[in-house]
Amino acid sequence: MLRALIIGGGTMARTHAEIYSRLPTAAVVGVVDPDARGRRLAADLQVSFSESLSGVDWNAVDVAHVCVPTPWHRKLVVEIAKQRKHILCEKPIARTLADAEEMIAACEQSDVRLMIGHCVRYFPEYMRAKELVDAGRIGRVAVARLFRGGSFPPSDTWRDWYANRNWSGGTSVDLMVHDFDFLRWVLGPVARVYAKSTYGESNRLELTLATLRFQSGAIAHVTGSWAHAGFGTRFELAGNLGLLEHDSFKAGAVFHEATALPAHEDMQGVQVPRTHVHKSPYQLEIEDFLHAIVQDRPFSVTAHDALEALRIGLAVEQSALTGMPVDL
Amino acid sequence: MTRIGILSTAHMHAHSYMSAIETLQDVSVTGVYDEDAGRGRQFCAAHGVPFRGDMEALLDESDAVLIAATNADHRGFVERAAARGVAILCEKPIATSVADAAAMVQAAESAGAPFYMALPVRFVRAAAELRKFVRAGKIGRILAMTGTNHGYMPGGWFIDRAASGGGAVMDHTSHVADLMRWIVGSDVVEVYAEIAERVHNRGIDDCGILTLGFANGVFATLDPSWSRLKTYPTWGDVTLEVVGTTGVLALDAFAPRVHVYAEAEDGQATHRYDYYGDDMDLWMVDEFVRSVRSGQRSDTLATGLDGLRALEVTMAAYESAESGRPVAITPWQP
């Protein structure tokens, strides 16, 4: 039995924790969170609760999930690494490259494995797209178009941290980093980026449009929006032999019109995509994390991949701020 | 009776404009001039209209002309028509250089000849409604836009740089750049572009992404790629999403369609889109004929100057892709 510690009590912490109820050989043993949300999560799971890492019985823990706002990633990952526990940390890996590098170094030093939750790699439509491109079905990719967006994360998250770009990194670092990781996975390294954003727009609206040029010559256009409604994703990959397209707004296998808000009150934070498959992408991600540890094989998405995705996100942010293309 | 001449049938839209004329009342076709007489005679036989070898004589008998020449030939035809004072509706893009476009606009201006561009997306009912909604404040203040004009690779002279002036970016920037300007009521002042040849291997650009900055602070991206292959269910698209402070408006101009699943003659399974929406060319030609008949300038048709503004975006895109930097547009002034 693998024993997991959940750090955090918000939407992603609850999403990770709930996956464990479906895993026969692993269980959540505790929740750590300075916030009342974490206390409620621990009560719901009937596991131990502690307000800080100092209250954790590390002998009873095998792995830790870091599901807290991005600016806390470095501090927590470095502390957990000292306890020699493997870590699944939510994306983006960190707000800065320095933080990310320190996290990776701390884990390497303690011989601890660090995976970053780039869950899009476990979404079936993105996995299928990767398989189709690798199989040569659309030939050489020429232009990719990706959309990821919805409404601005609500203000009752921890200190409204998404609204503070110094903490969250905004659309380019928090949201589009999924697409940057996916594109890098499929199309290889990025040569340069150019972007425009509505940074500074009041009324909780942020929209970033980024153009990526890959070393291969391929071009990608990525929309990251907290200025739309609901949540959804789209992609189109156009190659010299064919084209792939997917629209999450049209891919629902069952439709439900909500007339009330049935979700748990602590899960009305950031939007979590729903996928109608037996195993959710988050379950696939957590299973992959746990299996890789047990079987001592590499993670499908490494901390280095996450660092590179962050590097693209930061370059996009820099381009949007300076108005100039940024070379990577 | 409004008398219309057709100058050149190099562009396939000549057929579509001709079909539009055929449905209109009180319009006669004075004839077709074509620098390629064989092609012109074929066109005339197909539509039952006279071929005219003497362009000046044709212009003498016409109130207006439709020009469907190659991009590089637009200037010559527009200048000759303008010199005779006839009204002009010219295929897009206006020309292959801003200098040519400026000469055309000035020639029409000094001759007093009405000079319009065939940018028919303004005549898609949904586009006009989107513009009306935006102007009525339905989505608040505009923040940004994303547009696409994807298409098949058209082949022929479109991939001959001497005749076309460029590939996908030259062919497909005008429509959406004009639509965006028409909607935001502001000019493009800066362009960044990534442009490549990766789809067709025909020695000319076939894909790209343009980023446009408008004078009023709005920004936008435009995808003009020839990224639709014969396996795609339709020739291409025109889409525009406008994101505002209180909402989003999205246009998919060719969304009115029936999906057709059928066997091709060789037994292959096919899936095609069959578009049943408005014929935008028809409504554009109708507006052109009305304005010629009434003698009133149209306030809906794109003008030669609108065409020039769209070409400024196109040329800045090529310059940006070449230099790797954003390019500032200094708008040409008459």
Side-chain angles (χ1 to χ4, degrees), chain A residues 143-183:
Chain A
V143 191
R145 297 182 64 81
L146 290 88
F147 172 93
R148 179 172 306 274
S151 50
F152 204 97
S155 56
D156 61 354
T157 50
W158 176 77
R159 289 200 195 175
D160 194 12
W161 71 282
Y162 287 100
N164 183 336
R165 196 160 44 81
N166 289 330
W167 286 343
S168 69
T171 43
S172 62
V173 169
D174 188 79
L175 184 68
M176 299 160 86
V177 76
H178 283 300
D179 301 292
F180 300 151
D181 173 62
F182 169 73
L183 285 167

Side-chain angles (χ1 to χ4, degrees), chain B:
Chain B
M1 187 69 76
T2 308
R3 304 166 306 160
I4 296 187
I6 293 174
L7 303 184
S8 183
T9 63
H11 199 293
M12 59 277 207
H13 286 164
H15 289 281
S16 165
Y17 303 149
M18 190 63 223
S19 302
I21 292 170
E22 285 163 358
T23 69
L24 298 177
Q25 304 287 312
D26 297 321
V27 177
S28 69
V29 173
T30 45
V32 176
Y33 170 85
D34 198 320
E35 68 278 15
D36 179 338
R39 182 179 62 200
R41 286 183 197 283
Q42 225 174 7
F43 181 92
C44 289
H47 293 279
V49 290
F51 178 76
R52 306 289 295 269
D54 182 345
M55 194 197 326
E56 296 301 327
L58 174 62
L59 289 170
D60 267 344
E61 297 160 26
S62 302
D63 305 310
V65 290
L66 302 180
I67 297 172
T70 65
N71 302 342
D73 284 346
H74 286 170
R75 178 176 173 174
F77 283 117
V78 165
E79 286 180 339
R80 296 206 28 202
R84 310 302 285 258
V86 303
I88 299 160
L89 182 63
C90 179
E91 185 54 56
K92 59 92 228 177
I94 184 169
T96 57
S97 74
V98 175
D100 278 355
M104 294 156 75
V105 169
Q106 277 178 321
E109 184 68 33
S110 60
F115 175 21
Y116 299 108
M117 292 299 305
L119 291 165
V121 183
R122 293 183 180 205
F123 292 89
V124 173
R125 178 67 184 228
E129 285 184 359
L130 184 150
R131 181 172 184 258
K132 204 166 68 184
F133 286 151
V134 167
R135 296 288 167 102
K138 270 213 192 296
I139 58 167
R141 177 170 46 83
I142 299 179
L143 296 172
M145 300 179 282
T146 50
T148 66
N149 184 192
H150 296 121
Y152 290 151
M153 195 276 294
W157 62 262
F158 288 87
I159 55 172
D160 169 9
R161 194 178 302 276
S164 66
V169 174
M170 179 60 76
D171 189 34
H172 273 183
T173 297
S174 295
H175 286 302
V176 178
D178 179 69
L179 190 60
M180 287 174 169
R181 284 185 61 244
W182 190 55
I183 286 164
V184 302
S186 180
D187 281 330
V188 178
V189 293
E190 186 195 59
V191 180
Y192 178 86
E194 293 285 356
I195 298 174
E197 185 202 340
R198 283 181 70 80
V199 190
H200 304 287
N201 272 325
R202 302 300 289 266
I204 201 157
D205 59 285
D206 55 30
C207 61
I209 299 287
L210 280 55
T211 305
L212 317 181
F214 289 79
N216 67 355
V218 169
F219 60 85
T221 58
L222 197 170
D223 181 343
S225 305
W226 286 337
S227 52
R228 270 40 182 172
L229 306 176
K230 297 298 173 196
T231 44
Y232 200 73
T234 191
W235 63 271
D237 64 33
V238 172
T239 73
L240 179 69
E241 185 170 278
V242 187
V243 181
T245 52
T246 62
V248 176
L249 276 165
L251 167 74
D252 180 354
F254 294 93
R257 62 200 173 208
V258 172
H259 292 251
V260 181
Y261 306 89
E263 258 182 35
E265 280 175 15
D266 61 3
Q268 284 288 310
T270 64
H271 170 209
R272 312 294 302 164
Y273 295 163
D274 194 348
Y275 172 75
Y276 61 80
D278 285 333
D279 176 349
M280 62 180 92
D281 287 342
L282 170 63
W283 293 98
M284 176 183 69
V285 171
D286 178 59
E287 170 74 5
F288 178 61
V289 169
R290 278 171 199 277
S291 78
V292 172
R293 188 173 294 150
S294 69
Q296 303 284 312
R297 296 288 173 117
S298 168
D299 54 8
T300 310
L301 284 165
T303 64
L305 187 59
D306 290 323
L308 182 150
R309 294 287 178 242
L311 184 66
E312 284 178 331
V313 175
T314 304
M315 301 316 285
Y318 281 118
E319 188 185 334
S320 168
E322 192 69 33
S323 68
R325 319 277 290 182
V327 168
I329 293 178
T330 312
W332 174 80
Q333 298 299 339

Side-chain angles (χ1 to χ4, degrees), chain A residues 73-295:
Chain A
H73 286 181
R74 180 193 57 81
K75 182 171 184 290
L76 289 165
V77 165
V78 168
E79 280 187 40
I80 296 163
K82 282 184 190 144
Q83 302 297 333
R84 303 180 60 83
K85 304 299 170 189
H86 303 302
I87 301 162
L88 174 54
C89 175
E90 259 306 324
K91 47 54 58 181
I93 182 170
R95 177 65 180 91
T96 66
L97 291 176
D99 274 10
E101 282 160 359
E102 189 180 333
M103 290 159 67
I104 292 172
C107 290
E108 278 172 0
Q109 233 164 39
S110 304
D111 203 16
V112 157
R113 315 229 7 227
L114 173 65
M115 177 166 142
I116 306 300
H118 277 289
C119 57
V120 165
R121 295 214 191 189
Y122 300 92
F123 273 73
E125 63 271 35
Y126 289 90
M127 293 165 84
R128 185 61 57 86
K130 163 76 170 161
E131 287 166 19
L132 289 165
V133 171
D134 285 354
R137 289 297 299 279
I138 61 166
R140 179 180 74 173
V141 174
V143 191
R145 297 182 64 81
L146 290 88
F147 172 93
R148 179 172 306 274
S151 50
F152 204 97
S155 56
D156 61 354
T157 50
W158 176 77
R159 289 200 195 175
D160 194 12
W161 71 282
Y162 287 100
N164 183 336
R165 196 160 44 81
N166 289 330
W167 286 343
S168 69
T171 43
S172 62
V173 169
D174 188 79
L175 184 68
M176 299 160 86
V177 76
H178 283 300
D179 301 292
F180 300 151
D181 173 62
F182 169 73
L183 285 167
R184 198 182 146 268
W185 188 36
V186 176
L187 300 177
V190 172
R192 62 177 174 271
V193 304
Y194 182 80
K196 296 235 182 232
S197 179
T198 62
Y199 291 152
E201 180 66 37
S202 55
N203 303 317
R204 310 182 74 77
L205 295 167
E206 187 176 308
L207 178 94
T208 301
L209 304 179
T211 304
L212 278 56
R213 190 68 186 260
F214 293 79
Q215 287 179 14
S216 68
I219 300 169
H221 177 266
V222 185
T223 302
S225 176
W226 285 334
H228 280 69
F231 181 81
T233 65
R234 290 187 206 100
F235 65 74
E236 171 189 307
L237 302 177
N240 66 331
L241 299 178
L243 184 146
L244 308 177
E245 57 185 13
H246 184 268
D247 183 345
S248 77
F249 296 95
K250 295 175 182 165
V254 58
F255 284 97
H256 167 230
E257 267 187 80
T259 51
L261 280 175
H264 189 282
E265 61 181 89
D266 288 345
M267 288 195 71
Q268 287 166 24
V270 67
Q271 300 269 0
V272 182
R274 305 262 180 270
T275 309
H276 301 297
V277 285
H278 279 290
K279 280 191 181 183
S280 82
Y282 301 98
Q283 182 170 349
L284 293 178
E285 173 186 280
I286 289 169
E287 284 180 354
D288 192 37
F289 168 66
L290 297 175
H291 291 164
I293 287 167
V294 170
Q295 297 161 9

